[in-house]
Amino acid sequence: LVDYVRTMRGQNTMGGAIEIRAFINIFKINIRVKSLPNQRNIEFLFNNQNPWREIVWTGGHFDPVIN
């Protein structure tokens, strides 16, 4: 765990599905990832009553969708 945290704190380290799952569990929201490379949506569901937020995956990194 110590090595993982050290790696994730790096300036050039980006998270992925595991980190998104942890994020939705902490903040109790749902995340929809719009994957541009394959034109698919990937949904990370916390529960149906909580709000959805969207982020875009460009193939390199994630960008928030501001509504």
Tab-separated table of all heavy atoms in Angstrom:
chain	number	residue	atom	x	y	z
A	1	LEU	N	0.824	-1.199	0.000
A	1	LEU	CA	0.000	0.000	0.000
A	1	LEU	C	0.865	1.259	0.000
A	1	LEU	O	0.541	2.215	-0.688
A	1	LEU	CB	-0.950	-0.019	1.202
A	1	LEU	CG	-1.911	1.157	1.296
A	1	LEU	CD1	-2.806	1.241	0.082
A	1	LEU	CD2	-2.721	1.072	2.567
A	2	VAL	N	1.952	1.224	0.748
A	2	VAL	CA	2.842	2.383	0.819
A	2	VAL	C	3.411	2.701	-0.563
A	2	VAL	O	3.445	3.864	-0.983
A	2	VAL	CB	3.969	2.150	1.854
A	2	VAL	CG1	5.002	3.255	1.791
A	2	VAL	CG2	3.379	2.035	3.248
A	3	ASP	N	3.826	1.677	-1.302
A	3	ASP	CA	4.362	1.889	-2.646
A	3	ASP	C	3.303	2.434	-3.594
A	3	ASP	O	3.577	3.311	-4.415
A	3	ASP	CB	4.938	0.587	-3.210
A	3	ASP	CG	6.216	0.162	-2.523
A	3	ASP	OD1	6.886	1.021	-1.902
A	3	ASP	OD2	6.550	-1.030	-2.602
A	4	TYR	N	2.081	1.923	-3.476
A	4	TYR	CA	0.977	2.394	-4.323
A	4	TYR	C	0.714	3.873	-4.073
A	4	TYR	O	0.614	4.665	-5.009
A	4	TYR	CB	-0.286	1.577	-4.065
A	4	TYR	CG	-1.523	2.170	-4.692
A	4	TYR	CD1	-1.774	1.997	-6.044
A	4	TYR	CD2	-2.410	2.923	-3.946
A	4	TYR	CE1	-2.888	2.556	-6.638
A	4	TYR	CE2	-3.530	3.487	-4.520
A	4	TYR	CZ	-3.767	3.306	-5.869
A	4	TYR	OH	-4.866	3.862	-6.454
A	5	VAL	N	0.608	4.268	-2.821
A	5	VAL	CA	0.337	5.670	-2.479
A	5	VAL	C	1.477	6.551	-2.975
A	5	VAL	O	1.244	7.617	-3.547
A	5	VAL	CB	0.113	5.834	-0.960
A	5	VAL	CG1	0.052	7.306	-0.573
A	5	VAL	CG2	-1.160	5.113	-0.535
A	6	ARG	N	2.694	6.121	-2.800
A	6	ARG	CA	3.848	6.900	-3.264
A	6	ARG	C	3.775	7.085	-4.781
A	6	ARG	O	3.983	8.181	-5.301
A	6	ARG	CB	5.149	6.211	-2.874
A	6	ARG	CG	6.388	7.014	-3.244
A	6	ARG	CD	7.702	6.331	-2.869
A	6	ARG	NE	7.725	5.928	-1.470
A	6	ARG	CZ	7.852	4.668	-1.032
A	6	ARG	NH1	7.973	3.670	-1.907
A	6	ARG	NH2	7.883	4.383	0.242
A	7	THR	N	3.453	6.015	-5.497
A	7	THR	CA	3.344	6.098	-6.958
A	7	THR	C	2.219	7.029	-7.376
A	7	THR	O	2.386	7.872	-8.258
A	7	THR	CB	3.110	4.693	-7.559
A	7	THR	OG1	4.216	3.860	-7.223
A	7	THR	CG2	2.951	4.753	-9.064
A	8	MET	N	1.062	6.905	-6.740
A	8	MET	CA	-0.103	7.714	-7.119
A	8	MET	C	0.102	9.198	-6.803
A	8	MET	O	-0.516	10.049	-7.425
A	8	MET	CB	-1.369	7.204	-6.433
A	8	MET	CG	-1.834	5.841	-6.936
A	8	MET	SD	-1.979	5.722	-8.732
A	8	MET	CE	-3.329	6.836	-9.045
A	9	ARG	N	0.964	9.514	-5.885
A	9	ARG	CA	1.240	10.923	-5.557
A	9	ARG	C	2.183	11.574	-6.554
A	9	ARG	O	2.399	12.778	-6.520
A	9	ARG	CB	1.820	11.022	-4.155
A	9	ARG	CG	0.781	10.820	-3.090
A	9	ARG	CD	1.365	11.004	-1.715
A	9	ARG	NE	0.308	10.950	-0.717
A	9	ARG	CZ	0.511	10.807	0.569
A	9	ARG	NH1	1.745	10.709	1.048
A	9	ARG	NH2	-0.500	10.772	1.406
A	10	GLY	N	2.734	10.804	-7.462
A	10	GLY	CA	3.666	11.341	-8.448
A	10	GLY	C	2.990	12.319	-9.398
A	10	GLY	O	1.817	12.176	-9.735
A	11	GLN	N	3.736	13.307	-9.848
A	11	GLN	CA	3.212	14.346	-10.747
A	11	GLN	C	2.696	13.776	-12.072
A	11	GLN	O	1.774	14.312	-12.662
A	11	GLN	CB	4.306	15.380	-11.035
A	11	GLN	CG	4.647	16.253	-9.853
A	11	GLN	CD	3.575	17.305	-9.595
A	11	GLN	OE1	2.621	17.460	-10.356
A	11	GLN	NE2	3.726	18.031	-8.510
A	12	ASN	N	3.299	12.711	-12.544
A	12	ASN	CA	2.940	12.166	-13.853
A	12	ASN	C	2.115	10.889	-13.775
A	12	ASN	O	1.954	10.202	-14.770
A	12	ASN	CB	4.213	11.906	-14.668
A	12	ASN	CG	4.960	13.191	-14.945
A	12	ASN	OD1	4.356	14.197	-15.283
A	12	ASN	ND2	6.270	13.164	-14.787
A	13	THR	N	1.575	10.584	-12.599
A	13	THR	CA	0.785	9.374	-12.418
A	13	THR	C	-0.695	9.715	-12.505
A	13	THR	O	-1.153	10.675	-11.890
A	13	THR	CB	1.081	8.730	-11.049
A	13	THR	OG1	2.475	8.478	-10.959
A	13	THR	CG2	0.309	7.440	-10.875
A	14	MET	N	-1.432	8.937	-13.284
A	14	MET	CA	-2.875	9.139	-13.396
A	14	MET	C	-3.605	7.900	-12.920
A	14	MET	O	-3.097	6.788	-13.045
A	14	MET	CB	-3.253	9.433	-14.842
A	14	MET	CG	-2.783	10.785	-15.311
A	14	MET	SD	-3.323	11.120	-16.979
A	14	MET	CE	-1.876	10.574	-17.873
A	15	GLY	N	-4.782	8.104	-12.370
A	15	GLY	CA	-5.591	6.997	-11.902
A	15	GLY	C	-6.384	6.373	-13.033
A	15	GLY	O	-6.374	6.833	-14.169
A	16	GLY	N	-7.100	5.328	-12.678
A	16	GLY	CA	-7.934	4.624	-13.646
A	16	GLY	C	-9.205	4.151	-12.975
A	16	GLY	O	-9.748	4.809	-12.084
A	17	ALA	N	-9.696	2.993	-13.374
A	17	ALA	CA	-10.981	2.480	-12.893
A	17	ALA	C	-10.998	2.269	-11.382
A	17	ALA	O	-11.998	2.576	-10.724
A	17	ALA	CB	-11.321	1.176	-13.609
A	18	ILE	N	-9.917	1.777	-10.812
A	18	ILE	CA	-9.888	1.535	-9.363
A	18	ILE	C	-10.013	2.848	-8.602
A	18	ILE	O	-10.757	2.948	-7.617
A	18	ILE	CB	-8.603	0.778	-8.967
A	18	ILE	CG1	-8.641	-0.634	-9.535
A	18	ILE	CG2	-8.404	0.768	-7.456
A	18	ILE	CD1	-7.343	-1.391	-9.407
A	19	GLU	N	-9.326	3.873	-9.079
A	19	GLU	CA	-9.383	5.172	-8.413
A	19	GLU	C	-10.743	5.846	-8.599
A	19	GLU	O	-11.249	6.510	-7.685
A	19	GLU	CB	-8.254	6.072	-8.915
A	19	GLU	CG	-6.874	5.600	-8.490
A	19	GLU	CD	-6.341	4.412	-9.281
A	19	GLU	OE1	-6.798	4.179	-10.431
A	19	GLU	OE2	-5.474	3.704	-8.742
A	20	ILE	N	-11.365	5.657	-9.761
A	20	ILE	CA	-12.715	6.195	-9.963
A	20	ILE	C	-13.692	5.513	-9.009
A	20	ILE	O	-14.534	6.159	-8.395
A	20	ILE	CB	-13.162	6.037	-11.429
A	20	ILE	CG1	-12.307	6.928	-12.335
A	20	ILE	CG2	-14.648	6.363	-11.592
A	20	ILE	CD1	-12.533	6.690	-13.815
A	21	ARG	N	-13.575	4.206	-8.850
A	21	ARG	CA	-14.450	3.472	-7.929
A	21	ARG	C	-14.261	3.984	-6.506
A	21	ARG	O	-15.230	4.204	-5.779
A	21	ARG	CB	-14.162	1.970	-8.022
A	21	ARG	CG	-14.869	1.107	-7.011
A	21	ARG	CD	-16.365	1.220	-6.995
A	21	ARG	NE	-16.984	0.774	-8.220
A	21	ARG	CZ	-18.272	0.918	-8.478
A	21	ARG	NH1	-19.081	1.466	-7.594
A	21	ARG	NH2	-18.772	0.507	-9.602
A	22	ALA	N	-13.040	4.205	-6.086
A	22	ALA	CA	-12.786	4.747	-4.743
A	22	ALA	C	-13.398	6.140	-4.609
A	22	ALA	O	-14.014	6.461	-3.591
A	22	ALA	CB	-11.287	4.795	-4.462
A	23	PHE	N	-13.273	6.971	-5.637
A	23	PHE	CA	-13.812	8.326	-5.636
A	23	PHE	C	-15.329	8.318	-5.452
A	23	PHE	O	-15.866	9.071	-4.635
A	23	PHE	CB	-13.430	9.020	-6.947
A	23	PHE	CG	-13.859	10.438	-7.049
A	23	PHE	CD1	-13.062	11.456	-6.544
A	23	PHE	CD2	-15.054	10.770	-7.667
A	23	PHE	CE1	-13.465	12.778	-6.640
A	23	PHE	CE2	-15.457	12.085	-7.771
A	23	PHE	CZ	-14.659	13.098	-7.261
A	24	ILE	N	-16.040	7.462	-6.207
A	24	ILE	CA	-17.501	7.455	-6.081
A	24	ILE	C	-17.939	6.933	-4.720
A	24	ILE	O	-18.956	7.376	-4.188
A	24	ILE	CB	-18.205	6.696	-7.220
A	24	ILE	CG1	-18.001	5.195	-7.119
A	24	ILE	CG2	-17.792	7.213	-8.567
A	24	ILE	CD1	-18.923	4.393	-8.009
A	25	ASN	N	-17.183	6.018	-4.143
A	25	ASN	CA	-17.528	5.524	-2.811
A	25	ASN	C	-17.320	6.589	-1.745
A	25	ASN	O	-18.094	6.678	-0.791
A	25	ASN	CB	-16.718	4.277	-2.473
A	25	ASN	CG	-17.160	3.076	-3.262
A	25	ASN	OD1	-18.271	3.019	-3.771
A	25	ASN	ND2	-16.283	2.105	-3.396
A	26	ILE	N	-16.286	7.407	-1.890
A	26	ILE	CA	-16.021	8.478	-0.925
A	26	ILE	C	-17.047	9.599	-1.056
A	26	ILE	O	-17.599	10.071	-0.069
A	26	ILE	CB	-14.591	9.030	-1.112
A	26	ILE	CG1	-13.566	7.974	-0.697
A	26	ILE	CG2	-14.394	10.326	-0.319
A	26	ILE	CD1	-12.150	8.293	-1.121
A	27	PHE	N	-17.313	10.044	-2.293
A	27	PHE	CA	-18.164	11.211	-2.523
A	27	PHE	C	-19.619	10.866	-2.823
A	27	PHE	O	-20.450	11.761	-2.989
A	27	PHE	CB	-17.571	12.077	-3.635
A	27	PHE	CG	-16.281	12.712	-3.226
A	27	PHE	CD1	-15.080	12.179	-3.636
A	27	PHE	CD2	-16.263	13.819	-2.395
A	27	PHE	CE1	-13.872	12.743	-3.253
A	27	PHE	CE2	-15.078	14.394	-2.006
A	27	PHE	CZ	-13.879	13.858	-2.422
A	28	LYS	N	-19.935	9.567	-2.895
A	28	LYS	CA	-21.319	9.093	-3.066
A	28	LYS	C	-22.006	9.705	-4.288
A	28	LYS	O	-23.123	10.207	-4.222
A	28	LYS	CB	-22.127	9.361	-1.799
A	28	LYS	CG	-21.583	8.624	-0.591
A	28	LYS	CD	-22.347	8.987	0.659
A	28	LYS	CE	-21.953	8.181	1.850
A	28	LYS	NZ	-20.559	8.125	2.208
A	29	ILE	N	-21.307	9.642	-5.414
A	29	ILE	CA	-21.869	10.086	-6.686
A	29	ILE	C	-21.657	8.992	-7.720
A	29	ILE	O	-20.913	8.045	-7.497
A	29	ILE	CB	-21.230	11.404	-7.175
A	29	ILE	CG1	-19.742	11.217	-7.437
A	29	ILE	CG2	-21.491	12.543	-6.212
A	29	ILE	CD1	-19.083	12.404	-8.114
A	30	ASN	N	-22.333	9.118	-8.838
A	30	ASN	CA	-22.155	8.212	-9.966
A	30	ASN	C	-21.297	8.910	-11.009
A	30	ASN	O	-21.422	10.121	-11.212
A	30	ASN	CB	-23.510	7.852	-10.574
A	30	ASN	CG	-24.435	7.225	-9.563
A	30	ASN	OD1	-24.075	6.273	-8.901
A	30	ASN	ND2	-25.631	7.771	-9.429
A	31	ILE	N	-20.435	8.165	-11.672
A	31	ILE	CA	-19.569	8.726	-12.707
A	31	ILE	C	-19.823	8.011	-14.024
A	31	ILE	O	-19.857	6.786	-14.086
A	31	ILE	CB	-18.074	8.563	-12.337
A	31	ILE	CG1	-17.724	9.340	-11.068
A	31	ILE	CG2	-17.169	8.970	-13.511
A	31	ILE	CD1	-17.666	10.833	-11.231
A	32	ARG	N	-20.006	8.805	-15.068
A	32	ARG	CA	-20.114	8.268	-16.433
A	32	ARG	C	-18.868	8.738	-17.188
A	32	ARG	O	-18.624	9.938	-17.310
A	32	ARG	CB	-21.368	8.764	-17.128
A	32	ARG	CG	-21.569	8.202	-18.523
A	32	ARG	CD	-22.889	8.644	-19.140
A	32	ARG	NE	-24.005	8.081	-18.392
A	32	ARG	CZ	-24.875	8.805	-17.672
A	32	ARG	NH1	-24.752	10.101	-17.586
A	32	ARG	NH2	-25.865	8.213	-17.033
A	33	VAL	N	-18.103	7.791	-17.688
A	33	VAL	CA	-16.899	8.102	-18.463
A	33	VAL	C	-17.247	7.988	-19.939
A	33	VAL	O	-17.675	6.931	-20.395
A	33	VAL	CB	-15.742	7.143	-18.123
A	33	VAL	CG1	-14.520	7.457	-18.986
A	33	VAL	CG2	-15.389	7.204	-16.648
A	34	LYS	N	-17.086	9.084	-20.666
A	34	LYS	CA	-17.270	9.060	-22.117
A	34	LYS	C	-15.912	8.764	-22.730
A	34	LYS	O	-15.003	9.585	-22.683
A	34	LYS	CB	-17.811	10.393	-22.613
A	34	LYS	CG	-19.215	10.666	-22.142
A	34	LYS	CD	-19.732	11.964	-22.716
A	34	LYS	CE	-21.164	12.127	-22.294
A	34	LYS	NZ	-22.068	12.086	-23.408
A	35	SER	N	-15.774	7.570	-23.263
A	35	SER	CA	-14.516	7.130	-23.858
A	35	SER	C	-14.478	7.551	-25.324
A	35	SER	O	-15.220	7.016	-26.146
A	35	SER	CB	-14.392	5.614	-23.733
A	35	SER	OG	-13.236	5.161	-24.382
A	36	LEU	N	-13.640	8.519	-25.636
A	36	LEU	CA	-13.574	9.015	-27.012
A	36	LEU	C	-12.946	8.032	-27.985
A	36	LEU	O	-13.422	7.925	-29.123
A	36	LEU	CB	-12.825	10.352	-27.047
A	36	LEU	CG	-13.478	11.497	-26.277
A	36	LEU	CD1	-12.684	12.778	-26.460
A	36	LEU	CD2	-14.931	11.701	-26.683
A	37	PRO	N	-11.909	7.277	-27.593
A	37	PRO	CA	-11.308	6.368	-28.570
A	37	PRO	C	-12.270	5.321	-29.130
A	37	PRO	O	-12.200	4.985	-30.305
A	37	PRO	CB	-10.167	5.694	-27.797
A	37	PRO	CG	-9.823	6.661	-26.718
A	37	PRO	CD	-11.127	7.302	-26.346
A	38	ASN	N	-13.172	4.806	-28.296
A	38	ASN	CA	-14.085	3.766	-28.798
A	38	ASN	C	-15.553	4.191	-28.781
A	38	ASN	O	-16.430	3.382	-29.009
A	38	ASN	CB	-13.900	2.451	-28.030
A	38	ASN	CG	-14.203	2.589	-26.563
A	38	ASN	OD1	-14.791	3.576	-26.121
A	38	ASN	ND2	-13.794	1.600	-25.788
A	39	GLN	N	-15.813	5.480	-28.481
A	39	GLN	CA	-17.173	6.033	-28.516
A	39	GLN	C	-18.148	5.259	-27.634
A	39	GLN	O	-19.291	5.004	-28.022
A	39	GLN	CB	-17.693	6.086	-29.961
A	39	GLN	CG	-16.860	6.955	-30.868
A	39	GLN	CD	-16.871	8.404	-30.446
A	39	GLN	OE1	-17.926	8.993	-30.260
A	39	GLN	NE2	-15.697	8.988	-30.257
A	40	ARG	N	-17.689	4.884	-26.419
A	40	ARG	CA	-18.543	4.162	-25.476
A	40	ARG	C	-18.658	4.941	-24.187
A	40	ARG	O	-17.807	5.750	-23.859
A	40	ARG	CB	-17.950	2.782	-25.179
A	40	ARG	CG	-17.948	1.864	-26.375
A	40	ARG	CD	-17.332	0.536	-26.081
A	40	ARG	NE	-17.979	-0.108	-24.937
A	40	ARG	CZ	-17.449	-1.086	-24.247
A	40	ARG	NH1	-16.259	-1.558	-24.560
A	40	ARG	NH2	-18.092	-1.624	-23.231
A	41	ASN	N	-19.721	4.666	-23.434
A	41	ASN	CA	-19.874	5.189	-22.086
A	41	ASN	C	-19.614	4.063	-21.095
A	41	ASN	O	-20.108	2.953	-21.274
A	41	ASN	CB	-21.287	5.738	-21.859
A	41	ASN	CG	-21.536	7.007	-22.625
A	41	ASN	OD1	-20.630	7.782	-22.875
A	41	ASN	ND2	-22.773	7.232	-22.999
A	42	ILE	N	-18.855	4.363	-20.066
A	42	ILE	CA	-18.583	3.415	-18.996
A	42	ILE	C	-19.160	4.028	-17.731
A	42	ILE	O	-18.792	5.144	-17.359
A	42	ILE	CB	-17.071	3.165	-18.838
A	42	ILE	CG1	-16.485	2.701	-20.177
A	42	ILE	CG2	-16.798	2.171	-17.723
A	42	ILE	CD1	-14.984	2.828	-20.271
A	43	GLU	N	-20.071	3.324	-17.081
A	43	GLU	CA	-20.748	3.880	-15.911
A	43	GLU	C	-20.259	3.225	-14.628
A	43	GLU	O	-20.179	1.998	-14.537
A	43	GLU	CB	-22.256	3.718	-16.059
A	43	GLU	CG	-22.799	4.544	-17.212
A	43	GLU	CD	-24.303	4.479	-17.351
A	43	GLU	OE1	-24.930	3.561	-16.771
A	43	GLU	OE2	-24.854	5.340	-18.058
A	44	PHE	N	-19.933	4.065	-13.662
A	44	PHE	CA	-19.551	3.646	-12.322
A	44	PHE	C	-20.694	4.072	-11.406
A	44	PHE	O	-20.844	5.253	-11.097
A	44	PHE	CB	-18.237	4.308	-11.892
A	44	PHE	CG	-17.046	3.855	-12.690
A	44	PHE	CD1	-16.748	4.444	-13.911
A	44	PHE	CD2	-16.226	2.847	-12.218
A	44	PHE	CE1	-15.647	4.041	-14.647
A	44	PHE	CE2	-15.126	2.425	-12.948
A	44	PHE	CZ	-14.844	3.027	-14.158
A	45	LEU	N	-21.505	3.115	-10.993
A	45	LEU	CA	-22.728	3.393	-10.245
A	45	LEU	C	-22.497	3.275	-8.742
A	45	LEU	O	-22.039	2.235	-8.254
A	45	LEU	CB	-23.815	2.405	-10.675
A	45	LEU	CG	-25.164	2.517	-9.979
A	45	LEU	CD1	-25.848	3.817	-10.348
A	45	LEU	CD2	-26.038	1.327	-10.349
A	46	PHE	N	-22.823	4.345	-8.011
A	46	PHE	CA	-22.860	4.274	-6.552
A	46	PHE	C	-24.250	3.807	-6.140
A	46	PHE	O	-24.409	2.826	-5.459
A	46	PHE	CB	-22.516	5.627	-5.912
A	46	PHE	CG	-22.532	5.581	-4.416
A	46	PHE	CD1	-21.486	4.997	-3.724
A	46	PHE	CD2	-23.602	6.078	-3.707
A	46	PHE	CE1	-21.501	4.912	-2.338
A	46	PHE	CE2	-23.629	6.010	-2.325
A	46	PHE	CZ	-22.579	5.429	-1.636
A	47	ASN	N	-25.270	4.543	-6.560
A	47	ASN	CA	-26.660	4.092	-6.445
A	47	ASN	C	-27.531	4.944	-7.349
A	47	ASN	O	-27.117	6.001	-7.808
A	47	ASN	CB	-27.171	4.063	-4.996
A	47	ASN	CG	-27.354	5.435	-4.402
A	47	ASN	OD1	-27.778	6.371	-5.070
A	47	ASN	ND2	-27.033	5.573	-3.133
A	48	ASN	N	-28.739	4.503	-7.612
A	48	ASN	CA	-29.607	5.190	-8.570
A	48	ASN	C	-30.146	6.522	-8.077
A	48	ASN	O	-30.616	7.322	-8.873
A	48	ASN	CB	-30.777	4.283	-8.964
A	48	ASN	CG	-30.338	3.169	-9.875
A	48	ASN	OD1	-29.442	3.333	-10.683
A	48	ASN	ND2	-30.954	2.016	-9.739
A	49	GLN	N	-30.118	6.775	-6.775
A	49	GLN	CA	-30.664	8.011	-6.246
A	49	GLN	C	-29.656	9.160	-6.256
A	49	GLN	O	-30.039	10.309	-6.115
A	49	GLN	CB	-31.156	7.815	-4.802
A	49	GLN	CG	-32.460	7.037	-4.691
A	49	GLN	CD	-32.290	5.556	-5.000
A	49	GLN	OE1	-31.341	4.933	-4.555
A	49	GLN	NE2	-33.191	4.994	-5.783
A	50	ASN	N	-28.385	8.869	-6.400
A	50	ASN	CA	-27.371	9.913	-6.325
A	50	ASN	C	-27.094	10.504	-7.703
A	50	ASN	O	-27.348	9.872	-8.728
A	50	ASN	CB	-26.091	9.351	-5.704
A	50	ASN	CG	-26.267	9.077	-4.230
A	50	ASN	OD1	-27.298	8.586	-3.797
A	50	ASN	ND2	-25.274	9.398	-3.446
A	51	PRO	N	-26.568	11.736	-7.744
A	51	PRO	CA	-26.368	12.413	-9.026
A	51	PRO	C	-25.267	11.773	-9.877
A	51	PRO	O	-24.393	11.090	-9.360
A	51	PRO	CB	-25.958	13.833	-8.621
A	51	PRO	CG	-25.399	13.701	-7.248
A	51	PRO	CD	-26.143	12.563	-6.609
A	52	TRP	N	-25.364	12.038	-11.170
A	52	TRP	CA	-24.344	11.594	-12.128
A	52	TRP	C	-23.440	12.762	-12.470
A	52	TRP	O	-23.897	13.886	-12.634
A	52	TRP	CB	-24.998	11.090	-13.416
A	52	TRP	CG	-25.571	9.723	-13.287
A	52	TRP	CD1	-26.856	9.409	-12.926
A	52	TRP	CD2	-24.896	8.491	-13.497
A	52	TRP	NE1	-27.019	8.057	-12.905
A	52	TRP	CE2	-25.822	7.455	-13.253
A	52	TRP	CE3	-23.605	8.151	-13.865
A	52	TRP	CZ2	-25.489	6.121	-13.368
A	52	TRP	CZ3	-23.276	6.808	-13.979
A	52	TRP	CH2	-24.209	5.812	-13.735
A	53	ARG	N	-22.163	12.468	-12.611
A	53	ARG	CA	-21.179	13.419	-13.117
A	53	ARG	C	-20.485	12.741	-14.284
A	53	ARG	O	-20.380	11.525	-14.333
A	53	ARG	CB	-20.141	13.795	-12.058
A	53	ARG	CG	-20.731	14.443	-10.822
A	53	ARG	CD	-21.294	15.829	-11.166
A	53	ARG	NE	-21.769	16.493	-9.964
A	53	ARG	CZ	-23.033	16.598	-9.609
A	53	ARG	NH1	-23.970	16.060	-10.354
A	53	ARG	NH2	-23.387	17.227	-8.515
A	54	GLU	N	-20.026	13.541	-15.236
A	54	GLU	CA	-19.393	12.977	-16.413
A	54	GLU	C	-17.949	13.436	-16.527
A	54	GLU	O	-17.625	14.577	-16.206
A	54	GLU	CB	-20.151	13.366	-17.683
A	54	GLU	CG	-21.514	12.727	-17.769
A	54	GLU	CD	-22.209	13.024	-19.077
A	54	GLU	OE1	-21.763	13.906	-19.841
A	54	GLU	OE2	-23.224	12.355	-19.345
A	55	ILE	N	-17.121	12.516	-16.994
A	55	ILE	CA	-15.762	12.846	-17.371
A	55	ILE	C	-15.505	12.236	-18.737
A	55	ILE	O	-16.197	11.306	-19.161
A	55	ILE	CB	-14.710	12.363	-16.339
A	55	ILE	CG1	-14.796	10.849	-16.118
A	55	ILE	CG2	-14.846	13.109	-15.033
A	55	ILE	CD1	-13.741	10.317	-15.158
A	56	VAL	N	-14.559	12.799	-19.453
A	56	VAL	CA	-14.202	12.322	-20.784
A	56	VAL	C	-12.817	11.703	-20.714
A	56	VAL	O	-11.899	12.280	-20.121
A	56	VAL	CB	-14.213	13.486	-21.801
A	56	VAL	CG1	-13.679	13.036	-23.152
A	56	VAL	CG2	-15.604	14.046	-21.945
A	57	TRP	N	-12.682	10.530	-21.302
A	57	TRP	CA	-11.377	9.896	-21.417
A	57	TRP	C	-10.936	10.014	-22.863
A	57	TRP	O	-11.595	9.538	-23.776
A	57	TRP	CB	-11.418	8.434	-20.990
A	57	TRP	CG	-10.059	7.797	-21.009
A	57	TRP	CD1	-8.955	8.214	-20.324
A	57	TRP	CD2	-9.665	6.651	-21.756
A	57	TRP	NE1	-7.887	7.392	-20.595
A	57	TRP	CE2	-8.305	6.409	-21.481
A	57	TRP	CE3	-10.323	5.803	-22.628
A	57	TRP	CZ2	-7.596	5.361	-22.035
A	57	TRP	CZ3	-9.624	4.750	-23.183
A	57	TRP	CH2	-8.271	4.535	-22.872
A	58	THR	N	-9.804	10.692	-23.071
A	58	THR	CA	-9.309	10.956	-24.432
A	58	THR	C	-8.431	9.831	-24.950
A	58	THR	O	-8.019	9.850	-26.088
A	58	THR	CB	-8.497	12.251	-24.463
A	58	THR	OG1	-7.361	12.102	-23.608
A	58	THR	CG2	-9.335	13.434	-24.007
A	59	GLY	N	-8.128	8.873	-24.079
A	59	GLY	CA	-7.181	7.825	-24.420
A	59	GLY	C	-5.865	8.042	-23.709
A	59	GLY	O	-5.058	7.137	-23.593
A	60	GLY	N	-5.668	9.271	-23.239
A	60	GLY	CA	-4.443	9.592	-22.509
A	60	GLY	C	-4.718	9.999	-21.080
A	60	GLY	O	-4.015	9.618	-20.168
A	61	HIS	N	-5.761	10.805	-20.896
A	61	HIS	CA	-6.109	11.248	-19.549
A	61	HIS	C	-7.584	11.585	-19.479
A	61	HIS	O	-8.294	11.585	-20.491
A	61	HIS	CB	-5.245	12.440	-19.116
A	61	HIS	CG	-5.397	13.644	-19.986
A	61	HIS	ND1	-6.368	14.577	-19.806
A	61	HIS	CD2	-4.678	14.055	-21.063
A	61	HIS	CE1	-6.258	15.520	-20.718
A	61	HIS	NE2	-5.247	15.222	-21.501
A	62	PHE	N	-8.064	11.880	-18.280
A	62	PHE	CA	-9.471	12.201	-18.044
A	62	PHE	C	-9.655	13.700	-17.948
A	62	PHE	O	-8.825	14.394	-17.387
A	62	PHE	CB	-9.961	11.553	-16.736
A	62	PHE	CG	-9.964	10.065	-16.760
A	62	PHE	CD1	-8.894	9.331	-16.255
A	62	PHE	CD2	-11.035	9.371	-17.296
A	62	PHE	CE1	-8.895	7.950	-16.270
A	62	PHE	CE2	-11.044	7.981	-17.319
A	62	PHE	CZ	-9.977	7.286	-16.813
A	63	ASP	N	-10.759	14.202	-18.497
A	63	ASP	CA	-11.120	15.610	-18.402
A	63	ASP	C	-12.538	15.707	-17.855
A	63	ASP	O	-13.418	14.944	-18.287
A	63	ASP	CB	-11.091	16.294	-19.768
A	63	ASP	CG	-9.697	16.376	-20.354
A	63	ASP	OD1	-8.777	16.754	-19.611
A	63	ASP	OD2	-9.534	16.078	-21.546
A	64	PRO	N	-12.800	16.638	-16.930
A	64	PRO	CA	-14.168	16.790	-16.426
A	64	PRO	C	-15.068	17.429	-17.485
A	64	PRO	O	-14.598	18.185	-18.335
A	64	PRO	CB	-14.008	17.732	-15.229
A	64	PRO	CG	-12.765	18.505	-15.527
A	64	PRO	CD	-11.872	17.567	-16.322
A	65	VAL	N	-16.344	17.097	-17.437
A	65	VAL	CA	-17.346	17.731	-18.290
A	65	VAL	C	-18.053	18.747	-17.409
A	65	VAL	O	-18.665	18.385	-16.406
A	65	VAL	CB	-18.346	16.717	-18.862
A	65	VAL	CG1	-19.443	17.422	-19.633
A	65	VAL	CG2	-17.627	15.697	-19.730
A	66	ILE	N	-17.956	20.015	-17.767
A	66	ILE	CA	-18.567	21.084	-16.993
A	66	ILE	C	-19.910	21.436	-17.635
A	66	ILE	O	-19.970	21.813	-18.796
A	66	ILE	CB	-17.668	22.342	-16.958
A	66	ILE	CG1	-16.255	21.990	-16.515
A	66	ILE	CG2	-18.295	23.428	-16.081
A	66	ILE	CD1	-16.135	21.456	-15.117
A	67	ASN	N	-20.989	21.270	-16.873
A	67	ASN	CA	-22.338	21.594	-17.382
A	67	ASN	C	-22.829	22.869	-16.773
A	67	ASN	O	-22.655	23.192	-15.687
A	67	ASN	CB	-23.310	20.460	-17.086
A	67	ASN	CG	-22.983	19.225	-17.885
A	67	ASN	OD1	-22.414	19.304	-18.954
A	67	ASN	ND2	-23.313	18.080	-17.345
